[in-house]
Amino acid sequence: MSFNQKLIKLALILFIIVCVCSVLLFQNFLTTYQQIGRIEDYQEQLTDFKELSSNIDAMTSSLQDYILLSDAQYLDRFHRYSAMIIKKQTDLYDSDNLPRNQNIHDLIELSKTYLSFASLEVIPTIQTKNYSQKEVQDFYLRNQDFTRQMNVKLRNLSETYNKELDNYFQSTLANINRKIILLLVLLFVSLLLLPYVLYLLLKPFLTKCLYTGELAEYTDSAFMFVDSSGDVKYVNKSARDLFGLLPEAVLDKNIEHFPELFPRLQNITQLLLHALLTQKELLRNRVNFNNDGRTIDLTVDYVPLFLLNKLVGVMMIARLANEQKDKSLLLDTLEKERKRISIEIHDWIARYMSTIIHSLDYNLRLHKNGHLKGDELLQNLRDLRNHCQNAAIEMRGIMNDIHPYLIDKVGLISALESYIQTYEKLNKIKVYIFYQDRALRVKKKDEIIIYRIIQEALSNIVKHAKATEVDINFTKQQDTLKIEIMDNGGAEGDFLVGKGLWGMKERAALIGGDIVFGYCETGFCVTLTVPIQPGGQEDGENQDHVD
């Protein structure tokens, strides 16, 4: 007999023991449960009894204070507590318990006599305000006597309650005998061993599921799983990034509603629904979807999953078509930059030049007519000079966006410092650069790409973050250069991966680097790692020249 067969046999024995013990215990527990329920009833009655005792004490005290002080507020308290006592005595009355009912009956009759004494003798006499000191003393003594009698009745009733509760509790304990304790021990041991045996049997399957889940979460392919009813149960990180989905917006949503919720994914989810209905796999399907005006081509597989010949759901695996992996996103990003530069030239430089021309015409006309002379003309010329200087700064920034010429002359760090000066003035955001050495040991063409990535990160901070400061850290780690761009805009909320971040990833890939982004302690953080040339920056330049 193999080890697995022995485990299966042991699991069956333990399962049978658990079932037999459970049945026997259930029979005994039914009786015990009923008795426990009765004990709870006794406890509730004891609580009611304590409230009754407290109310009687408050009632007699109120009447006593009314006799001595003739204050109407004590009379109101007396009436309130007497009404509560009548209701509480009725609740305690149990037709099935004759000994206790006799005590309750005696207490009720005594309470009625006391209430008659109060309503027919004490209250009318006090209200007339025509009474003698002897009458007050007589009322006081009789009230004390009634209080003593009711306390005796309450004490007898309390002894009856406690005796009943003690008897019931003893009978309940007697029901939990050695047989039940033995069954409990046997059941407990079996329940401890059974999960461990099942774990040994299922360990290979569980290990496979665990590593498969981790692989699905961190793979570059987009995974989406829907159960047999069509509800989305799992979407991995790549799918969330590729399709721009938030987990709370898609999980537990039925794919039949996707055309309304996510119209741009209709081509993808339509085949997913088809695979779910037909229970047949669809492999290597060429599908496209529109993402912010950009068409992305995908290769998608739809794989039905079965358990014991029953469909449990369909797994969708999507990946970028090969010809798009290296080109489409980067080209789209470049086109976006060209469009942005064109808009800036038109909106900013054209506006500056138009303002300068109109100002010159206005000043020349005033000077010709003799309305503008001396200091006023000089001040207007100074204002025009400042306006021209701002236009030159804007033009220099746009030209630097088209091609950062300072990199060719003074290197990446100096070019960034020049760019940051303008960036800080325009956006009121302070930027700090930290580095160990200005010689970064990367190729000139790689420096331009690194510059563009940092530029895009700073631009995203202006658009999306409420930041006042940005730190840029350059750190050399053996054969790599690590660049971190961190803002202080806060670490709350979710972010969607847009075309800007995708373009940054594609640029990093072109120089053999990698980029990750997400929230850190102070705000949003972009971390770029690129390889360092072993021979230094000069070797990189020589290599470029040889190429």
Side-chain angles (χ1 to χ4, degrees):
M1 185 180 294
S2 65
F3 180 72
N4 284 341
Q5 290 175 331
K6 291 180 181 179
L7 285 176
I8 294 173
K9 185 176 180 179
L10 179 58
L12 288 174
I13 294 174
L14 291 173
F15 179 75
I16 293 172
I17 293 174
V18 169
C19 292
V20 172
C21 292
S22 299
V23 172
L24 295 175
L25 285 171
F26 181 73
Q27 293 175 348
N28 286 274
F29 284 157
L30 280 179
T31 304
T32 305
Y33 178 77
Q34 294 172 353
Q35 291 177 323
I36 291 174
R38 187 62 178 164
I39 291 175
E40 292 177 352
D41 293 339
Y42 274 116
Q43 290 176 337
E44 291 179 2
Q45 291 173 355
L46 278 174
T47 302
D48 293 339
F49 173 75
K50 290 179 181 178
E51 292 181 5
L52 174 63
S53 178
S54 175
N55 291 339
I56 288 176
D57 182 65
M59 178 184 70
T60 56
S61 298
S62 299
L63 186 62
Q64 176 179 297
D65 293 337
Y66 182 66
I67 292 171
L68 296 175
L69 302 175
S70 303
D71 193 337
Q73 66 174 341
Y74 298 114
L75 182 59
D76 292 339
R77 288 185 61 202
F78 170 79
H79 287 309
R80 184 169 69 254
Y81 283 110
S82 62
M84 295 168 61
I85 288 169
I86 294 173
K87 182 179 183 306
K88 190 65 67 176
Q89 288 174 339
T90 305
D91 293 340
L92 289 173
Y93 193 83
D94 185 357
S95 60
D96 296 332
N97 195 320
L98 296 179
R100 190 206 313 165
N101 285 342
Q102 184 62 44
N103 290 329
I104 294 177
H105 178 75
D106 294 343
L107 182 62
I108 291 175
E109 292 301 320
L110 182 59
S111 299
K112 288 180 180 178
T113 304
Y114 178 74
L115 292 175
S116 298
F117 158 71
S119 60
L120 298 178
E121 298 183 43
V122 175
I123 296 174
T125 302
I126 299 299
Q127 287 180 340
T128 61
K129 299 183 179 180
N130 186 18
Y131 50 86
S132 64
Q133 187 65 29
K134 185 175 181 299
E135 287 178 306
V136 171
Q137 185 176 5
D138 180 61
F139 288 155
Y140 178 82
L141 293 175
R142 291 175 66 186
N143 183 71
Q144 289 287 337
D145 184 56
F146 274 116
T147 302
R148 181 185 59 77
Q149 294 181 47
M150 281 189 281
N151 285 333
V152 171
K153 297 293 183 184
L154 288 171
R155 186 164 56 251
N156 293 335
L157 192 58
S158 175
E159 291 174 355
T160 302
Y161 266 108
N162 289 327
K163 185 176 181 180
E164 291 179 10
L165 179 60
D166 184 65
N167 292 337
Y168 227 94
F169 186 73
Q170 293 297 330
S171 64
T172 302
L173 288 178
N175 189 49
I176 305 175
N177 52 27
R178 293 181 180 179
K179 180 180 176 181
I180 294 180
I181 296 175
L182 180 61
L183 289 173
L184 283 172
V185 172
L186 187 59
L187 179 62
F188 180 73
V189 173
S190 300
L191 289 175
L192 284 179
L193 292 176
L194 186 59
Y196 179 70
V197 174
L198 292 177
Y199 167 74
L200 293 178
L201 287 171
L202 298 176
K203 181 178 178 181
F205 175 76
L206 294 175
T207 303
K208 180 179 179 182
C209 291
L210 175 63
Y211 284 103
T212 301
E214 291 292 323
L215 180 63
E217 182 64 22
Y218 294 103
T219 185
D220 291 335
S221 298
F223 281 79
M224 180 185 295
F225 175 74
V226 299
D227 61 16
S228 57
S229 61
D231 294 336
V232 178
K233 294 300 181 182
Y234 175 72
V235 180
N236 74 338
K237 184 178 184 300
S238 295
R240 298 193 297 267
D241 294 343
L242 178 61
F243 301 131
L245 299 173
L246 292 175
E248 57 268 23
V250 67
L251 290 179
D252 295 323
K253 298 293 191 303
N254 197 284
I255 56 172
E256 291 183 351
H257 302 146
F258 268 47
E260 301 174 4
L261 298 174
F262 311 102
R264 56 195 178 87
L265 302 180
Q266 185 173 359
N267 293 342
I268 298 172
T269 56
Q270 187 175 12
L271 289 175
L272 182 57
L273 181 60
H274 179 75
L276 184 65
L277 295 176
T278 60
Q279 301 185 13
K280 295 181 180 179
E281 63 181 17
L282 302 172
L283 303 178
R284 293 180 293 279
N285 297 273
R286 296 299 296 271
V287 183
N288 60 71
F289 80 102
N290 186 278
N291 186 9
D292 296 333
R294 172 168 51 89
T295 300
I296 296 180
D297 293 328
L298 301 173
T299 301
V300 188
D301 296 332
Y302 303 90
V303 183
L305 303 178
F306 297 89
L307 181 62
L308 300 177
N309 294 324
K310 183 178 180 180
L311 180 71
V312 294
V314 175
M315 179 69 78
M316 183 201 76
I317 307 104
R319 51 201 173 276
L320 291 174
N322 291 332
E323 59 269 21
Q324 278 202 327
K325 286 184 178 178
D326 297 326
K327 297 180 180 180
S328 60
L329 293 175
L330 183 57
L331 291 175
D332 188 71
T333 302
L334 293 175
E335 185 61 31
K336 174 186 173 183
E337 289 182 352
R338 292 191 184 99
K339 181 179 179 180
R340 178 177 61 82
I341 293 171
S342 174
I343 292 174
E344 287 186 356
I345 291 175
H346 179 272
D347 291 349
W348 289 89
I349 304 305
R351 186 185 67 182
Y352 276 121
M353 297 305 295
S354 176
T355 302
I356 291 171
I357 291 172
H358 286 299
S359 297
L360 285 172
D361 290 341
Y362 175 75
N363 283 282
L364 289 172
R365 186 166 58 253
L366 289 178
H367 181 69
K368 180 178 180 181
N369 296 332
H371 298 299
L372 187 63
K373 297 180 181 179
D375 295 339
E376 188 176 359
L377 175 61
L378 183 61
Q379 182 60 43
N380 287 355
L381 291 176
R382 288 172 178 167
D383 292 341
L384 273 175
R385 182 190 179 283
N386 292 334
H387 205 66
C388 292
Q389 185 178 25
N390 291 334
I393 293 174
E394 292 288 346
M395 179 63 74
R396 190 181 304 115
I398 294 174
M399 293 301 103
N400 196 49
D401 284 345
I402 296 174
H403 180 76
Y405 60 91
L406 282 177
I407 290 180
D408 298 331
K409 296 182 178 180
V410 294
L412 175 60
I413 297 294
S414 298
L416 280 174
E417 290 173 341
S418 177
Y419 171 75
I420 286 170
Q421 290 179 2
T422 305
Y423 177 88
E424 291 177 333
K425 291 179 181 178
L426 294 176
N427 303 300
K428 308 302 181 184
I429 298 176
K430 186 65 178 176
V431 182
Y432 299 94
I433 301 181
F434 303 94
Y435 53 86
Q436 298 167 329
D437 189 355
R438 285 180 174 268
L440 299 178
R441 293 170 54 193
V442 294
K443 297 180 181 180
K444 285 294 184 183
K445 63 178 183 179
D446 293 353
E447 285 187 339
I448 294 176
I449 292 178
I450 295 171
Y451 179 91
R452 293 297 189 197
I453 292 174
I454 297 175
Q455 189 180 41
E456 179 68 23
L458 293 174
S459 177
N460 286 339
I461 291 172
V462 175
K463 295 177 183 177
H464 307 296
K466 298 178 180 180
T468 58
E469 293 183 2
V470 181
D471 291 340
I472 303 176
N473 296 308
F474 288 81
T475 307
K476 293 180 181 179
Q477 299 177 337
Q478 296 180 351
D479 57 347
T480 60
L481 174 65
K482 180 180 178 182
I483 305 169
E484 295 177 295
I485 304 103
M486 298 177 291
D487 63 53
N488 67 342
E492 297 182 357
D494 298 321
F495 70 93
L496 294 177
V497 179
K499 291 185 289 185
L501 294 177
W502 273 112
M504 292 162 67
K505 288 184 72 71
E506 294 298 328
R507 275 196 170 105
L510 286 178
I511 59 176
D514 186 29
I515 191 169
V516 293
F517 30 75
Y519 286 110
C520 56
E521 293 182 359
T522 60
F524 198 74
C525 179
V526 176
T527 304
L528 169 66
T529 54
V530 295
I532 294 177
Q533 296 296 318
Q537 182 167 310
E538 292 76 10
D539 292 350
E541 293 175 353
N542 294 337
Q543 183 66 34
D544 289 343
H545 181 71
V546 171
D547 291 341

PDB file of all heavy atoms in Angstrom, residues 26-42 168-169 171-172 175:
ATOM      1  N   PHE A  26     -24.547  15.492  19.523  1.00  0.00           N
ATOM      2  CA  PHE A  26     -25.726  16.282  19.173  1.00  0.00           C
ATOM      3  C   PHE A  26     -26.928  15.884  20.025  1.00  0.00           C
ATOM      4  O   PHE A  26     -27.691  16.731  20.494  1.00  0.00           O
ATOM      5  CB  PHE A  26     -26.035  16.110  17.684  1.00  0.00           C
ATOM      6  CG  PHE A  26     -27.221  16.892  17.220  1.00  0.00           C
ATOM      7  CD1 PHE A  26     -27.158  18.263  17.069  1.00  0.00           C
ATOM      8  CD2 PHE A  26     -28.428  16.244  16.952  1.00  0.00           C
ATOM      9  CE1 PHE A  26     -28.257  18.983  16.651  1.00  0.00           C
ATOM     10  CE2 PHE A  26     -29.526  16.962  16.527  1.00  0.00           C
ATOM     11  CZ  PHE A  26     -29.448  18.335  16.378  1.00  0.00           C
ATOM     12  N   GLN A  27     -27.088  14.560  20.211  1.00  0.00           N
ATOM     13  CA  GLN A  27     -28.204  14.083  21.021  1.00  0.00           C
ATOM     14  C   GLN A  27     -28.098  14.595  22.468  1.00  0.00           C
ATOM     15  O   GLN A  27     -29.090  14.999  23.078  1.00  0.00           O
ATOM     16  CB  GLN A  27     -28.242  12.555  21.010  1.00  0.00           C
ATOM     17  CG  GLN A  27     -28.579  11.964  19.645  1.00  0.00           C
ATOM     18  CD  GLN A  27     -28.495  10.446  19.642  1.00  0.00           C
ATOM     19  OE1 GLN A  27     -27.980   9.840  20.587  1.00  0.00           O
ATOM     20  NE2 GLN A  27     -29.006   9.837  18.578  1.00  0.00           N
ATOM     21  N   ASN A  28     -26.898  14.549  23.033  1.00  0.00           N
ATOM     22  CA  ASN A  28     -26.723  15.022  24.402  1.00  0.00           C
ATOM     23  C   ASN A  28     -26.810  16.541  24.506  1.00  0.00           C
ATOM     24  O   ASN A  28     -27.313  17.070  25.500  1.00  0.00           O
ATOM     25  CB  ASN A  28     -25.368  14.545  24.947  1.00  0.00           C
ATOM     26  CG  ASN A  28     -25.351  13.062  25.277  1.00  0.00           C
ATOM     27  OD1 ASN A  28     -25.733  12.658  26.357  1.00  0.00           O
ATOM     28  ND2 ASN A  28     -24.925  12.251  24.315  1.00  0.00           N
ATOM     29  N   PHE A  29     -26.330  17.181  23.490  1.00  0.00           N
ATOM     30  CA  PHE A  29     -26.350  18.637  23.530  1.00  0.00           C
ATOM     31  C   PHE A  29     -27.751  19.207  23.405  1.00  0.00           C
ATOM     32  O   PHE A  29     -28.013  20.327  23.852  1.00  0.00           O
ATOM     33  CB  PHE A  29     -25.459  19.210  22.432  1.00  0.00           C
ATOM     34  CG  PHE A  29     -23.994  19.116  22.733  1.00  0.00           C
ATOM     35  CD1 PHE A  29     -23.054  19.143  21.725  1.00  0.00           C
ATOM     36  CD2 PHE A  29     -23.552  19.017  24.040  1.00  0.00           C
ATOM     37  CE1 PHE A  29     -21.706  19.056  22.003  1.00  0.00           C
ATOM     38  CE2 PHE A  29     -22.207  18.927  24.336  1.00  0.00           C
ATOM     39  CZ  PHE A  29     -21.280  18.942  23.310  1.00  0.00           C
ATOM     40  N   LEU A  30     -28.667  18.456  22.773  1.00  0.00           N
ATOM     41  CA  LEU A  30     -30.034  18.956  22.660  1.00  0.00           C
ATOM     42  C   LEU A  30     -30.645  19.163  24.046  1.00  0.00           C
ATOM     43  O   LEU A  30     -31.238  20.212  24.334  1.00  0.00           O
ATOM     44  CB  LEU A  30     -30.890  17.976  21.844  1.00  0.00           C
ATOM     45  CG  LEU A  30     -30.750  18.047  20.327  1.00  0.00           C
ATOM     46  CD1 LEU A  30     -31.631  17.006  19.658  1.00  0.00           C
ATOM     47  CD2 LEU A  30     -31.121  19.439  19.823  1.00  0.00           C
ATOM     48  N   THR A  31     -30.478  18.125  24.883  1.00  0.00           N
ATOM     49  CA  THR A  31     -31.003  18.222  26.245  1.00  0.00           C
ATOM     50  C   THR A  31     -30.295  19.331  27.027  1.00  0.00           C
ATOM     51  O   THR A  31     -30.930  20.140  27.716  1.00  0.00           O
ATOM     52  CB  THR A  31     -30.836  16.877  26.966  1.00  0.00           C
ATOM     53  OG1 THR A  31     -31.478  15.851  26.209  1.00  0.00           O
ATOM     54  CG2 THR A  31     -31.441  16.946  28.359  1.00  0.00           C
ATOM     55  N   THR A  32     -28.983  19.356  26.919  1.00  0.00           N
ATOM     56  CA  THR A  32     -28.217  20.380  27.634  1.00  0.00           C
ATOM     57  C   THR A  32     -28.592  21.783  27.168  1.00  0.00           C
ATOM     58  O   THR A  32     -28.699  22.718  27.970  1.00  0.00           O
ATOM     59  CB  THR A  32     -26.709  20.140  27.420  1.00  0.00           C
ATOM     60  OG1 THR A  32     -26.378  18.812  27.821  1.00  0.00           O
ATOM     61  CG2 THR A  32     -25.885  21.136  28.218  1.00  0.00           C
ATOM     62  N   TYR A  33     -28.809  21.920  25.867  1.00  0.00           N
ATOM     63  CA  TYR A  33     -29.169  23.229  25.313  1.00  0.00           C
ATOM     64  C   TYR A  33     -30.503  23.717  25.876  1.00  0.00           C
ATOM     65  O   TYR A  33     -30.670  24.900  26.207  1.00  0.00           O
ATOM     66  CB  TYR A  33     -29.235  23.143  23.796  1.00  0.00           C
ATOM     67  CG  TYR A  33     -29.635  24.431  23.123  1.00  0.00           C
ATOM     68  CD1 TYR A  33     -28.719  25.478  22.988  1.00  0.00           C
ATOM     69  CD2 TYR A  33     -30.925  24.612  22.644  1.00  0.00           C
ATOM     70  CE1 TYR A  33     -29.086  26.673  22.376  1.00  0.00           C
ATOM     71  CE2 TYR A  33     -31.303  25.805  22.033  1.00  0.00           C
ATOM     72  CZ  TYR A  33     -30.382  26.816  21.913  1.00  0.00           C
ATOM     73  OH  TYR A  33     -30.746  27.995  21.319  1.00  0.00           O
ATOM     74  N   GLN A  34     -31.459  22.785  25.993  1.00  0.00           N
ATOM     75  CA  GLN A  34     -32.752  23.158  26.556  1.00  0.00           C
ATOM     76  C   GLN A  34     -32.607  23.607  28.007  1.00  0.00           C
ATOM     77  O   GLN A  34     -33.235  24.577  28.450  1.00  0.00           O
ATOM     78  CB  GLN A  34     -33.723  21.976  26.460  1.00  0.00           C
ATOM     79  CG  GLN A  34     -34.083  21.606  25.022  1.00  0.00           C
ATOM     80  CD  GLN A  34     -34.893  20.327  24.933  1.00  0.00           C
ATOM     81  OE1 GLN A  34     -35.088  19.634  25.941  1.00  0.00           O
ATOM     82  NE2 GLN A  34     -35.363  20.007  23.738  1.00  0.00           N
ATOM     83  N   GLN A  35     -31.780  22.884  28.756  1.00  0.00           N
ATOM     84  CA  GLN A  35     -31.568  23.258  30.146  1.00  0.00           C
ATOM     85  C   GLN A  35     -30.851  24.601  30.266  1.00  0.00           C
ATOM     86  O   GLN A  35     -31.156  25.414  31.148  1.00  0.00           O
ATOM     87  CB  GLN A  35     -30.761  22.163  30.869  1.00  0.00           C
ATOM     88  CG  GLN A  35     -31.539  20.866  31.057  1.00  0.00           C
ATOM     89  CD  GLN A  35     -30.699  19.780  31.706  1.00  0.00           C
ATOM     90  OE1 GLN A  35     -29.514  19.680  31.427  1.00  0.00           O
ATOM     91  NE2 GLN A  35     -31.330  18.961  32.532  1.00  0.00           N
ATOM     92  N   ILE A  36     -29.888  24.819  29.379  1.00  0.00           N
ATOM     93  CA  ILE A  36     -29.181  26.108  29.389  1.00  0.00           C
ATOM     94  C   ILE A  36     -30.145  27.243  29.070  1.00  0.00           C
ATOM     95  O   ILE A  36     -30.093  28.336  29.650  1.00  0.00           O
ATOM     96  CB  ILE A  36     -28.000  26.083  28.406  1.00  0.00           C
ATOM     97  CG1 ILE A  36     -26.913  25.133  28.924  1.00  0.00           C
ATOM     98  CG2 ILE A  36     -27.423  27.480  28.207  1.00  0.00           C
ATOM     99  CD1 ILE A  36     -25.777  24.919  27.958  1.00  0.00           C
ATOM    100  N   GLY A  37     -31.053  26.968  28.135  1.00  0.00           N
ATOM    101  CA  GLY A  37     -32.063  27.981  27.814  1.00  0.00           C
ATOM    102  C   GLY A  37     -32.938  28.296  29.011  1.00  0.00           C
ATOM    103  O   GLY A  37     -33.313  29.459  29.247  1.00  0.00           O
ATOM    104  N   ARG A  38     -33.266  27.248  29.792  1.00  0.00           N
ATOM    105  CA  ARG A  38     -34.065  27.467  30.995  1.00  0.00           C
ATOM    106  C   ARG A  38     -33.295  28.279  32.017  1.00  0.00           C
ATOM    107  O   ARG A  38     -33.869  29.145  32.718  1.00  0.00           O
ATOM    108  CB  ARG A  38     -34.458  26.099  31.586  1.00  0.00           C
ATOM    109  CG  ARG A  38     -35.421  26.184  32.751  1.00  0.00           C
ATOM    110  CD  ARG A  38     -36.716  26.807  32.333  1.00  0.00           C
ATOM    111  NE  ARG A  38     -37.664  26.838  33.436  1.00  0.00           N
ATOM    112  CZ  ARG A  38     -38.764  27.583  33.459  1.00  0.00           C
ATOM    113  NH1 ARG A  38     -39.039  28.367  32.409  1.00  0.00           N
ATOM    114  NH2 ARG A  38     -39.588  27.560  34.494  1.00  0.00           N
ATOM    115  N   ILE A  39     -31.997  28.017  32.144  1.00  0.00           N
ATOM    116  CA  ILE A  39     -31.174  28.808  33.066  1.00  0.00           C
ATOM    117  C   ILE A  39     -31.171  30.277  32.664  1.00  0.00           C
ATOM    118  O   ILE A  39     -31.245  31.183  33.507  1.00  0.00           O
ATOM    119  CB  ILE A  39     -29.740  28.244  33.109  1.00  0.00           C
ATOM    120  CG1 ILE A  39     -29.727  26.876  33.794  1.00  0.00           C
ATOM    121  CG2 ILE A  39     -28.796  29.191  33.846  1.00  0.00           C
ATOM    122  CD1 ILE A  39     -28.388  26.185  33.774  1.00  0.00           C
ATOM    123  N   GLU A  40     -31.109  30.530  31.373  1.00  0.00           N
ATOM    124  CA  GLU A  40     -31.157  31.917  30.895  1.00  0.00           C
ATOM    125  C   GLU A  40     -32.478  32.576  31.260  1.00  0.00           C
ATOM    126  O   GLU A  40     -32.529  33.759  31.631  1.00  0.00           O
ATOM    127  CB  GLU A  40     -30.936  31.949  29.387  1.00  0.00           C
ATOM    128  CG  GLU A  40     -29.535  31.557  28.958  1.00  0.00           C
ATOM    129  CD  GLU A  40     -29.375  31.533  27.446  1.00  0.00           C
ATOM    130  OE1 GLU A  40     -30.400  31.667  26.750  1.00  0.00           O
ATOM    131  OE2 GLU A  40     -28.231  31.381  26.972  1.00  0.00           O
ATOM    132  N   ASP A  41     -33.581  31.779  31.186  1.00  0.00           N
ATOM    133  CA  ASP A  41     -34.874  32.325  31.602  1.00  0.00           C
ATOM    134  C   ASP A  41     -34.847  32.690  33.081  1.00  0.00           C
ATOM    135  O   ASP A  41     -35.364  33.741  33.491  1.00  0.00           O
ATOM    136  CB  ASP A  41     -35.988  31.304  31.341  1.00  0.00           C
ATOM    137  CG  ASP A  41     -36.204  31.064  29.854  1.00  0.00           C
ATOM    138  OD1 ASP A  41     -35.813  31.940  29.067  1.00  0.00           O
ATOM    139  OD2 ASP A  41     -36.756  29.995  29.491  1.00  0.00           O
ATOM    140  N   TYR A  42     -34.257  31.807  33.902  1.00  0.00           N
ATOM    141  CA  TYR A  42     -34.144  32.103  35.329  1.00  0.00           C
ATOM    142  C   TYR A  42     -33.333  33.375  35.568  1.00  0.00           C
ATOM    143  O   TYR A  42     -33.658  34.196  36.431  1.00  0.00           O
ATOM    144  CB  TYR A  42     -33.499  30.928  36.055  1.00  0.00           C
ATOM    145  CG  TYR A  42     -34.471  29.844  36.485  1.00  0.00           C
ATOM    146  CD1 TYR A  42     -34.382  28.566  35.955  1.00  0.00           C
ATOM    147  CD2 TYR A  42     -35.466  30.111  37.413  1.00  0.00           C
ATOM    148  CE1 TYR A  42     -35.278  27.570  36.340  1.00  0.00           C
ATOM    149  CE2 TYR A  42     -36.362  29.127  37.807  1.00  0.00           C
ATOM    150  CZ  TYR A  42     -36.267  27.862  37.267  1.00  0.00           C
ATOM    151  OH  TYR A  42     -37.139  26.898  37.642  1.00  0.00           O
ATOM    152  N   TYR A 168     -31.666  23.646  39.014  1.00  0.00           N
ATOM    153  CA  TYR A 168     -31.579  23.487  37.562  1.00  0.00           C
ATOM    154  C   TYR A 168     -30.138  23.430  37.093  1.00  0.00           C
ATOM    155  O   TYR A 168     -29.762  22.688  36.188  1.00  0.00           O
ATOM    156  CB  TYR A 168     -32.321  24.634  36.876  1.00  0.00           C
ATOM    157  CG  TYR A 168     -33.230  24.147  35.774  1.00  0.00           C
ATOM    158  CD1 TYR A 168     -34.565  23.881  36.006  1.00  0.00           C
ATOM    159  CD2 TYR A 168     -32.726  23.923  34.498  1.00  0.00           C
ATOM    160  CE1 TYR A 168     -35.388  23.418  35.005  1.00  0.00           C
ATOM    161  CE2 TYR A 168     -33.546  23.454  33.497  1.00  0.00           C
ATOM    162  CZ  TYR A 168     -34.881  23.200  33.752  1.00  0.00           C
ATOM    163  OH  TYR A 168     -35.681  22.741  32.752  1.00  0.00           O
ATOM    164  N   PHE A 169     -29.295  24.243  37.726  1.00  0.00           N
ATOM    165  CA  PHE A 169     -27.891  24.266  37.334  1.00  0.00           C
ATOM    166  C   PHE A 169     -27.217  22.931  37.658  1.00  0.00           C
ATOM    167  O   PHE A 169     -26.413  22.417  36.868  1.00  0.00           O
ATOM    168  CB  PHE A 169     -27.188  25.411  38.066  1.00  0.00           C
ATOM    169  CG  PHE A 169     -25.761  25.615  37.632  1.00  0.00           C
ATOM    170  CD1 PHE A 169     -25.469  26.175  36.403  1.00  0.00           C
ATOM    171  CD2 PHE A 169     -24.709  25.236  38.452  1.00  0.00           C
ATOM    172  CE1 PHE A 169     -24.151  26.358  35.998  1.00  0.00           C
ATOM    173  CE2 PHE A 169     -23.400  25.415  38.055  1.00  0.00           C
ATOM    174  CZ  PHE A 169     -23.119  25.982  36.827  1.00  0.00           C
ATOM    175  N   SER A 171     -28.650  19.984  37.811  1.00  0.00           N
ATOM    176  CA  SER A 171     -29.126  18.970  36.863  1.00  0.00           C
ATOM    177  C   SER A 171     -28.445  19.117  35.505  1.00  0.00           C
ATOM    178  O   SER A 171     -28.175  18.129  34.809  1.00  0.00           O
ATOM    179  CB  SER A 171     -30.643  19.072  36.705  1.00  0.00           C
ATOM    180  OG  SER A 171     -31.008  20.317  36.127  1.00  0.00           O
ATOM    181  N   THR A 172     -28.148  20.361  35.109  1.00  0.00           N
ATOM    182  CA  THR A 172     -27.455  20.584  33.829  1.00  0.00           C
ATOM    183  C   THR A 172     -26.028  20.051  33.897  1.00  0.00           C
ATOM    184  O   THR A 172     -25.539  19.423  32.949  1.00  0.00           O
ATOM    185  CB  THR A 172     -27.437  22.086  33.494  1.00  0.00           C
ATOM    186  OG1 THR A 172     -28.781  22.559  33.434  1.00  0.00           O
ATOM    187  CG2 THR A 172     -26.766  22.333  32.150  1.00  0.00           C
ATOM    188  N   ASN A 175     -25.829  16.383  33.540  1.00  0.00           N
ATOM    189  CA  ASN A 175     -26.037  15.874  32.181  1.00  0.00           C
ATOM    190  C   ASN A 175     -24.728  15.806  31.399  1.00  0.00           C
ATOM    191  O   ASN A 175     -24.589  15.033  30.452  1.00  0.00           O
ATOM    192  CB  ASN A 175     -27.057  16.764  31.460  1.00  0.00           C
ATOM    193  CG  ASN A 175     -27.480  16.186  30.126  1.00  0.00           C
ATOM    194  OD1 ASN A 175     -27.838  15.017  30.026  1.00  0.00           O
ATOM    195  ND2 ASN A 175     -27.433  17.008  29.090  1.00  0.00           N
TER     196      ASN A 175
END
